[in-house]
Amino acid sequence: MEGDLEELRPFPPLGPAVRVLMVWPRFPSSYWSLEGVTEIVPERSLMPPLGLITVAALCPKQWAIRLVDLAFEELSEEDLMWADLVMVSAMQVQRDDVCRTLQRASKLGRRTMIGGPYASSEPEALLSLTDHVVVGEPDEIFQEIAADLEVGSARRLYRVTEKPDISRTPLPRFDLLALEKYILMAVQFSRGCPFTCEFCDIITLYGRRPRTKSPAQLIGELDKLLQLGWRKEIFIVDDNFIGNHKAALELARELEGWQLRNRYPFGFATEASIDLASRPELLEAMVKANFSRVFIGIETPSAESLKEAKKFQNLRRDPLDCIRFIQQRGLWVMGGFIVGFDSDQADIFDRQIEFIERAAIPWAMAGVLQAPPTTPLYERMKKEGRLIQGGLEFSNFSPPNFRTVLPLPVLLGGLRRMLLTLYDPRRFYERVLDSLELWQVRPEQKAPALSFLYQLRVLFKSVWRQGLMSDYRRDYWRFLGRLMLRCGLNPQKRRLGFELALSGHHFIRYARNVVETLEAESCRAAVHAS
């Protein structure tokens, strides 16, 4: 750990009984924000801020902690004035609300601190907005930071370079959460990824040696959630759950026994690399533990672009065969897709559409390649003089922050056409049906129970908003009819099918909004090019 930058700025001691207000900033509308779904279901947000409640567990026991999640509640002046320290964690996509929150707290004379991926990627950009910036993973040194705050010796910048042993990380403070507000619960088993993808900042922020908790540690977190009354799906937020495949296998086997003992209270979803298809024993163990969904970074059907990006794990076998194998062994597949590699030709958009439809991936996150700070791609673009100053990305639907080989109007126009095609209501729901037919549900997979009143409320809202008021209502009703004909006798497929029907209310509309933005960007790019 090292600290620097304005070390002599005096900060008064906070004393031993610090009142901490933890704030999770709002996300702008995004692929994963699922606003359309939260218009229908009682929950108000997809997942809680796991990073903040993990830091809360690292705080001294005598500190008083409150959490405000701006996804569904307002940050009041009373909240801010109560706090001795306002602590924020965020990703870069939340930067606008980060700035607003820190500025509000500073104007009221509150001490502020920020950590998380945004702070770790761009600490210098935040030092003008906040009193303290924490770079890296603070698990093993947060007691030192807390002591510095208490006695008045806290630094402006803490740079943690060592990767902590997360088997020592305490149980997150799930009790701080308004559990009823979230669609999914978040837990973490591992940090880091063994691969070398050029555009990925996971390996630069968290390292290439996956570090894991013990199975008993994660099961302790599940026991706590069970005790607090959680009974819905859990997302294991690891960037690559199978990065340490031996540890993942051990955990999956332990989870199977835990599920049996507790009558399957939770379903699981996670993220994994495509080489999961080469590990049938692990895949089977995950299914037996009641995993049902997996997000895979497929990126592109172009072998040349995968080689360029150093995503060699996607080149070992035919990616379509891998996806099909995973679907047939019991996991429903979501996927990430990227356009804008140097190797991409003008036909890449049609190739992406064809692959996504053949693979039957309804939730296809298709976006433009970006070069996040800290990544090898960022360094390469900088070396080649291709970085665009002030072009830091907000999302994968923003123009790239470097000069691409494909002309920008071609790139943005192609992405626009991809999104219009993939999220055309008829084609989206057709892909949903195809995905359900390919997904081979196993007897061990059980959906967590939802109350009859919950289901009835969601059904009525869906019928009203989608079946009566939307402009895609004919496709909605056609899909529901075909769903009942094809999957009506399979409760798992029937339930997932209805959830996917709801998701159309977000993805169809969000794609249209993105297309409008891309059209404006394309016009600006064309004018600039001329």
Side-chain angles (χ1 to χ4, degrees), residues 187-316:
V187 300
Q188 184 179 59
F189 177 60
S190 71
R191 297 181 198 165
C193 179
F195 298 118
T196 59
C197 306
E198 187 186 36
F199 56 81
C200 182
D201 60 359
I202 297 305
I203 55 178
T204 54
L205 294 178
Y206 303 109
R208 289 190 56 211
R209 184 180 65 83
R211 293 158 287 131
T212 70
K213 296 177 180 177
S214 68
Q217 193 178 1
L218 191 75
I219 284 173
E221 296 181 14
L222 301 183
D223 286 334
K224 181 63 176 180
L225 288 168
L226 198 62
Q227 175 191 337
L228 291 170
W230 183 262
R231 292 296 185 276
K232 292 177 287 186
E233 194 169 31
I234 290 179
F235 199 95
I236 299 180
V237 299
D238 305 13
D239 293 286
N240 186 359
F241 176 69
I242 67 167
N244 183 331
H245 59 88
K246 291 181 180 178
L249 177 60
E250 181 185 2
L251 174 65
R253 287 173 172 166
E254 292 289 333
L255 287 177
E256 180 189 0
W258 185 88
Q259 293 273 38
L260 283 166
R261 292 190 299 274
N262 291 280
R263 299 183 180 180
Y264 291 84
F266 305 141
F268 294 108
T270 193
E271 302 178 47
S273 46
I274 203 168
D275 59 320
L276 177 59
S278 301
R279 304 190 183 281
E281 184 181 20
L282 174 55
L283 183 49
E284 181 182 9
M286 289 171 66
V287 169
K288 286 183 176 179
N290 209 21
F291 283 75
S292 60
R293 314 187 205 194
V294 63
F295 180 89
I296 296 174
I298 300 163
E299 319 310 1
T300 177
S302 167
E304 294 79 11
S305 296
L306 290 170
K307 290 175 186 175
E308 171 196 323
K310 296 181 173 58
K311 201 172 181 82
F312 302 116
Q313 66 272 23
N314 286 37
L315 290 164
R316 294 170 187 163

Side-chain angles (χ1 to χ4, degrees), residues 419-431:
L419 293 172
L420 283 174
T421 303
L422 293 173
Y423 292 101
D424 169 80
R426 182 186 62 80
R427 294 178 79 152
F428 171 74
Y429 283 126
E430 192 68 41
R431 222 162 49 248

Side-chain angles (χ1 to χ4, degrees), residues 444-494:
E444 301 91 340
Q445 292 173 304
K446 297 172 174 59
L450 296 173
S451 73
F452 176 73
L453 286 177
Y454 178 100
Q455 295 179 68
L456 196 62
R457 175 182 175 181
V458 171
L459 176 62
F460 280 145
K461 279 200 169 184
S462 174
V463 167
W464 173 253
R465 290 183 180 270
Q466 297 181 273
L468 297 176
M469 301 303 294
S470 75
D471 61 3
Y472 61 89
R473 53 188 174 270
R474 289 188 179 182
D475 297 293
Y476 168 85
W477 286 116
R478 182 171 179 268
F479 166 75
L480 288 183
R482 295 174 71 194
L483 173 69
M484 296 309 295
L485 284 173
R486 294 191 192 186
C487 307
L489 298 179
N490 186 314
Q492 279 279 54
K493 290 191 177 187
R494 188 175 65 239

